[in-house]
Amino acid sequence: MRVLLTGGAGYIGSHTAAALAERGHEIVILDNFANAERDVPARLERLTGKKIPIIEADIRDVPAVVAALREHPVDAVIHFAALKAVGESEADPLLYYDMNIIGTIRLLQAMQEANVTRIVFSSSATVYGQPDSSPILEDFPTRVENIYGRTKLVMEDLIRDLARTKKLKAAANLRYFNPVGAHPSGQIGETPRGVPNNLMPYVSQVATGERPHLRVFGNDYDTPDGTGVRDYIHVVDLAEAHALALEHIVTNDVSITVNLGTGEGTSVLQLVTAFETATGRTIPIVIAPRRPGDVSSYYANPALAEQTFGWRAKLNVEDMCRDSWRWQASRAGINDI
Ligand code: NAD
Ligand code: UDP
């Protein structure tokens, strides 16, 4: 297949590009580089050994997207391009409605104009809000708890509506749990701007010495060790899931909404220990108050993905820590892995 990846130069998009190339698909990337490094395409070409067309454009620019789709006729689009910071979405709602919701509408218009009728969409487990319990199944109620989450739900609904009314032949809404890790080649990974909000990038930067210690946000949750539990998923497993979901919906012309997680909950302290074991580095911690808005425990029931397109995560938390560290260490010029 030939596939256009919006946001394909970003963290999850670049790993998915590598996974698709490995499975013999052709890739075209459309990205405005708002949150991607300029050398990602060259790194991807080194990694895959393939020439990858890159279109520098904004998904809201319908003529540019139509032109890209006409120049590179594709079987499907995988839509990663979005803004993804919860705090920023609350500070600037219109920016998020514009980039995410208007951006997705414009992309869907361009696809309609170019007669592209299949899409895989990056949704998020954030659509479940504070769930009543875990493991979380796809039919749990959705809840909006912040503007980023609202944009994900609206985008999912737009895509489901177009599938229901047969404007799209096939669609997959993929609800990611907590993506972490990096490609084992060390060529691509996540580069957060400024102080990381998320646990794994923060821990990695403590390991390089860029930050003195990790603040553990709360140790009085109702979890085995009192710290927050999440379902971390290796980005390489997540990327493979995109390839399998895409192949499934295109082959069968169906529309699906599925969780992508491992089904395993890992606490903050367990992740710190796994990181120390995998890397041989010590992570100093300080117990801090709970972070507002955090849920105590949150993990997927990923059975539907396995039943539907035969995917299950293969990599464990130590793999995630080792690969995150390899990437972060190489960025920091440390050579001990
Ligand atoms: P990312 O920021 O690394 O990648 C997004 C890419 O889209 C970037 O390369 C950016 O330059 C590009 N982009 C942004 N706005 C654009 C626009 N208007 N036009 C063209 N390109 C644009 O983020 P990521 O972590 O790879 O996330 C990819 C998708 O997965 C997003 O939709 C995000 O909401 C979703 N998601 C991410 C996580 C996570 O923890 N990383 C979890 C759940 C869902
Ligand atoms: N966390 C922490 N210190 C940090 C960042 C995160 O203790 O510096 C905790 C956070 O409270 C949560 C878990 O790590 O329990 C995962 O947080 P992250 O922001 O990575 O994911 P999310 O909460 O969005 O699922």
Side-chain angles (χ1 to χ4, degrees), residues 39-330:
D39 64 352
V40 170
R43 287 168 171 270
L44 266 177
E45 290 194 351
R46 265 203 299 282
L47 183 59
T48 60
K50 293 187 179 162
K51 184 101 195 87
I52 300 174
I54 310 288
I55 293 123
E56 184 168 345
D58 193 298
I59 50 166
R60 293 166 300 175
D61 182 348
V62 176
V65 180
V66 172
L69 291 170
R70 294 224 163 105
E71 190 185 344
H72 304 280
V74 296
D75 300 289
V77 167
I78 307 187
H79 177 30
F80 298 99
L83 297 179
K84 60 170 184 175
V86 171
E88 188 185 41
S89 75
E90 290 289 302
D92 196 345
L94 286 175
L95 176 69
Y96 272 66
Y97 297 147
D98 185 35
M99 281 296 225
N100 293 0
I101 299 177
I102 303 285
T104 298
I105 292 172
R106 296 286 172 258
L107 172 69
L108 290 165
Q109 286 171 333
M111 286 171 60
Q112 204 162 75
E113 211 170 312
N115 205 20
V116 178
T117 55
R118 297 169 176 112
I119 190 166
V120 173
F121 171 61
S122 295
S123 188
S124 167
T126 195
V127 298
Y128 297 113
Q130 304 239 4
D132 297 330
S133 63
S134 279
I136 299 170
L137 278 162
E138 288 80 356
D139 62 2
F140 275 31
T142 54
R143 290 175 181 148
V144 170
E145 258 148 41
N146 53 61
I147 283 157
Y148 168 69
R150 183 184 302 285
T151 68
K152 283 290 168 203
L153 258 184
V154 172
M155 293 184 277
E156 274 200 7
D157 284 339
L158 288 171
I159 289 167
R160 264 191 297 269
D161 281 346
L162 293 194
R164 183 175 54 76
T165 55
K166 310 280 184 239
K167 302 288 187 272
L168 286 170
K169 280 193 189 139
N173 285 311
L174 304 181
R175 294 176 172 168
Y176 314 157
F177 279 67
N178 287 52
V180 296
H183 198 274
S185 65
Q187 287 293 330
I188 49 175
E190 183 179 19
T191 313
R193 300 222 159 127
V195 182
N197 282 317
N198 296 118
L199 181 62
M200 184 70 94
Y202 204 102
V203 168
S204 305
Q205 293 191 4
V206 173
T208 61
E210 286 163 78
R211 316 216 170 264
H213 54 252
L214 171 74
R215 282 180 307 150
V216 175
F217 296 141
N219 66 348
D220 57 354
Y221 284 108
D222 181 20
T223 60
D225 63 22
T227 65
V229 167
R230 295 290 182 277
D231 186 341
Y232 299 97
I233 170 168
H234 198 300
V235 66
V236 166
D237 275 333
L238 188 63
E240 195 198 14
H242 285 73
L244 293 173
L246 172 78
E247 289 163 10
H248 171 74
I249 64 158
V250 171
T251 310
N252 299 297
D253 271 342
V254 286
S255 295
I256 56 176
T257 297
V258 291
N259 288 338
L260 294 178
T262 63
E264 297 275 326
T266 302
S267 74
V268 177
L269 294 181
Q270 283 172 326
L271 187 131
V272 168
T273 304
F275 194 96
E276 292 181 330
T277 309
T279 68
R281 297 260 153 171
T282 303
I283 306 298
I285 62 165
V286 170
I287 303 297
R290 290 182 180 195
R291 186 170 64 176
D294 268 0
V295 191
S296 72
S297 185
Y298 205 91
Y299 53 94
N301 179 329
L304 186 61
E306 184 162 15
Q307 283 159 24
T308 314
F309 49 87
W311 172 86
R312 86 191 291 174
K314 299 187 193 94
L315 299 165
N316 63 27
V317 174
E318 282 194 15
D319 299 319
M320 302 177 206
C321 294
R322 186 198 58 234
D323 292 337
S324 294
W325 171 238
R326 182 187 293 105
W327 168 251
Q328 191 65 46
S330 75

